[in-house]
Amino acid sequence: MSGARVILVTGGSRGIGAATCRFAADAGYRVVVNYASNEAAAGALVQDIEQAGGKAIAIKADVGNESEILSMFEQVDRAFGRLDALVNNAGVLDVMSRLDGISAARMERIMRVNVVGSMLCAREAVKRMSTTHGGKGGAIVNLSSMAAHIGGANQYVDYAASKGAIDSFTIGLAREVAAEGIRVNAVSPGIIDTEMHASTGEPDRIARIQDALPMKRAGTADEVARAVLYLLSDAASYTTGAILNVSGGR
Ligand code: NAP
C-alpha cells in the first residue's frame, strides 16, 4: 500500500457524488468516480480533477449488480492497492406515485440499487479496510434522505423506505466494525438541487416547493458534500453510527 488515500464514490459522476469527488480531490484523496451510464459526465469530472492537479479514475459499474460491484473493487485494487474511504452515494428515485401504482419491478429496482448496492459496496470496503482482514481502517458514508423520516406519502414510499433501511444499516454496521478501525456514518439530505428530481417526472419540482422549505430554498450538492467530507475526516474521529441531517431545517 502506498501513496495518498483512496476514496470510492458510487454515483460520482453527477450531483452530490460529483461534488463529493471534487472536495475529496481537494482534500488530497485519489478519487474513484463510479457511474452507471453517463460516461461523458464521469470523464469530464476526472479531467477537471486531473487538471487541478489531482488524481482520479472513472469506473462504470451498476451498483444494482453484484458482479459489476466485485469487478469495480478489483479494478480499484489493481489501480491503487488500497481503499480508505467509501461513499455510498448512488441512488435512484422514480416517478411520483401512490403505493397502489407502484410495480414490484420498481420496488425491487429501488431496493436493489439503494439498499443492496450500498450493503454490497460496504461489504467489499470492509473486507479491504477492517483490521480483522489485515486492513488499516477507513471510513464509510452512506447517503440517506430525510424521506426516511417523512415517509414520501403519495410520492415515493418505496424510495423513503429504502432510505430508512440505509439509516438502520448505518447504525448496525457502525457498531459491527467500530473496533476494526472503520467508522460508518450517514448524511441525510433534504431537498437538494440536482438532476435527480427530474426522475420524479417533474423537472421543476424544486421551484414549486422551495417556498415551503424552512430556508425558502433547496440545498446545493456542495452543501451536502461538505458534510460527507467532514464525516470522512479525522475531525470526526469519534463519530460513528451518526446520521447527520443536511436538510435546511426540514
Ligand atoms: P443524481 O444527481 O440523480 O445523480 C445520481 C448519480 O448516481 C449519478 O452519478 C448516476 O450515474 C449514479 N447512479 C444512478 N444509478 C446508479 C447505479 N445503479 N449504479 C451506479 N451509479 C448509479 O443524484 P443526487 O441528487 O446527487 O443524489 C445522490 C444521493 O443523494 C442519492 O443516494 C439520493 O437518494 C440522495 N439524496 C438526494 C436528495 C436530493 O434532493 N437530490 C435528497 C436526499 C437524498 P450516471 O451519471 O451514470 O447516471
Side-chain angles (χ1 to χ4, degrees), residues 62-183:
D62 175 359
V63 302
N65 180 316
E66 183 180 16
S67 63
E68 293 189 26
I69 290 173
L70 295 179
S71 163
M72 172 170 69
F73 277 84
E74 284 161 10
Q75 288 177 66
V76 175
D77 293 341
R78 282 199 295 278
F80 298 119
R82 64 184 284 174
L83 182 67
D84 303 274
L86 166 69
V87 181
N88 270 321
N89 167 80
V92 288
L93 189 65
D94 212 320
V95 292
M96 284 186 251
S97 173
R98 284 168 47 96
L99 179 67
D100 42 22
I102 298 178
S103 67
R106 165 175 160 166
M107 292 177 196
E108 284 167 5
R109 172 176 165 265
I110 298 273
M111 292 295 169
R112 193 172 63 248
V113 172
N114 295 5
V115 183
V116 179
S118 295
M119 297 199 324
L120 289 173
C121 288
R123 182 189 74 189
E124 294 310 304
V126 165
K127 285 183 187 169
R128 287 156 176 82
M129 295 172 177
S130 167
T131 52
T132 301
H133 292 290
K136 292 199 175 346
I140 297 172
V141 172
N142 299 319
L143 265 292
S144 179
S145 170
M146 291 306 286
H149 304 282
I150 297 165
N154 301 309
Q155 299 183 330
Y156 34 64
V157 291
D158 50 353
Y159 171 84
S162 79
K163 295 302 186 177
I166 288 295
D167 286 355
S168 302
F169 174 59
T170 299
I171 294 164
L173 183 63
R175 292 177 181 170
E176 197 166 294
V177 297
E180 300 171 22
I182 306 174
R183 295 183 301 100

